[in-house]
Amino acid sequence: MLSFSRKVKEEIVFNDFDIPCSKALLTALIKVTGTLHLGNGMSLTIRTENAKVASFVHKLLKELYHPSIEFMVSRKMKLAKNNIYVLRVSKAKVILDDLHLMDGLGFPEVPSDAIINTPDTKRAYLAGMFLASGSVNNPDTSNYHLEMSADSEQQAHYIMQLMNEYELNAKVIKRRSKYVI
């Protein structure tokens, strides 16, 4: 049976996004799930447990940047043993520069105003964050809530501020090594 979060994520990926919104969404997804590799040239790896999200990211990257993408599937060895979908993407520098995600050898804590600059791109960024690290309970339950996680406090507060622009009453708490919004 599909979880409610999975249904919501699959609904998001079936939406059409214009180019600025696609870039905003990718900025969030890559920030949370991307890893930069500096071996034979620079490559970017994106990981997700949702096949439809992986396919959606593949589609967006192909439409916007035309990189070569190696699509791999592995199985998680802990607990649920879910599949992990891995996209190894060429043209990493081109993509990261275009999305303003190069900050030395790491990713900046918050997205650039050049990417997130309209109400639509703000919503697309939040959609990307949700696809990368979010969960939501069914509104029919008594403990209905939405949460996303971030690696840094600065990023978490940025997401909280964006969510509160839509009167979502978001707060940040620290849980283990993550910040949960």
Side-chain angles (χ1 to χ4, degrees), residues 28 31-32 109-110 125 129 132-134 147-160 172-181:
K31 167 70 177 139
V32 176
E109 293 302 318
V110 297
Y125 184 82
M129 281 300 301
S133 70
E147 69 178 47
M148 295 182 246
S149 64
D151 289 327
S152 77
E153 189 172 9
Q154 185 181 1
Q155 183 189 23
H157 282 280
Y158 178 81
I159 296 159
M160 179 187 78
V172 174
I173 61 166
K174 186 160 186 186
R175 187 184 300 154
R176 294 182 275 291
S177 63
K178 296 275 188 185
Y179 292 88
V180 179
I181 308 99

Side-chain angles (χ1 to χ4, degrees), residues 117-150:
N117 52 26
T118 67
D120 287 346
T121 55
K122 288 176 181 180
R123 285 191 297 271
Y125 184 82
L126 288 172
M129 281 300 301
F130 181 76
L131 291 174
S133 70
S135 70
V136 65
N137 291 17
N138 189 323
D140 297 336
T141 64
S142 61
N143 64 346
Y144 178 54
H145 77 281
L146 161 71
E147 69 178 47
M148 295 182 246
S149 64

Side-chain angles (χ1 to χ4, degrees), residues 18-69:
D18 62 14
I19 290 173
C21 289
S22 294
K23 289 181 177 185
L25 192 146
L26 279 173
T27 298
L29 253 160
I30 290 170
K31 167 70 177 139
V32 176
T33 66
T35 307
L36 192 57
H37 299 278
L38 300 172
N40 298 325
M42 192 185 297
S43 69
L44 177 67
T45 300
I46 300 166
R47 297 172 181 271
T48 180
E49 290 185 24
N50 186 310
K52 289 188 170 108
V53 170
S55 178
F56 177 66
V57 171
H58 184 278
K59 180 186 103 163
L60 288 181
L61 288 168
K62 280 290 193 184
E63 287 173 359
L64 294 171
Y65 302 106
H66 314 289
S68 62
I69 300 175

Side-chain angles (χ1 to χ4, degrees), residues 48-130:
T48 180
E49 290 185 24
N50 186 310
K52 289 188 170 108
V53 170
S55 178
F56 177 66
V57 171
H58 184 278
K59 180 186 103 163
L60 288 181
L61 288 168
K62 280 290 193 184
E63 287 173 359
L64 294 171
Y65 302 106
H66 314 289
S68 62
I69 300 175
E70 185 181 354
F71 199 108
M72 299 168 279
V73 181
S74 63
R75 190 173 279 304
K76 204 195 259 189
M77 293 328 246
K78 294 181 181 170
L79 300 174
K81 298 195 178 0
N82 296 340
N83 284 339
I84 305 287
Y85 301 91
V86 180
L87 289 86
R88 185 168 299 238
V89 184
S90 69
K91 294 189 177 180
K93 180 145 179 42
V94 170
I95 294 166
L96 297 176
D97 282 345
D98 188 54
L99 298 177
H100 299 266
L101 279 173
M102 284 297 288
D103 186 16
L105 289 177
F107 297 145
E109 293 302 318
V110 297
S112 166
D113 290 340
I115 299 293
I116 312 301
N117 52 26
T118 67
D120 287 346
T121 55
K122 288 176 181 180
R123 285 191 297 271
Y125 184 82
L126 288 172
M129 281 300 301
F130 181 76

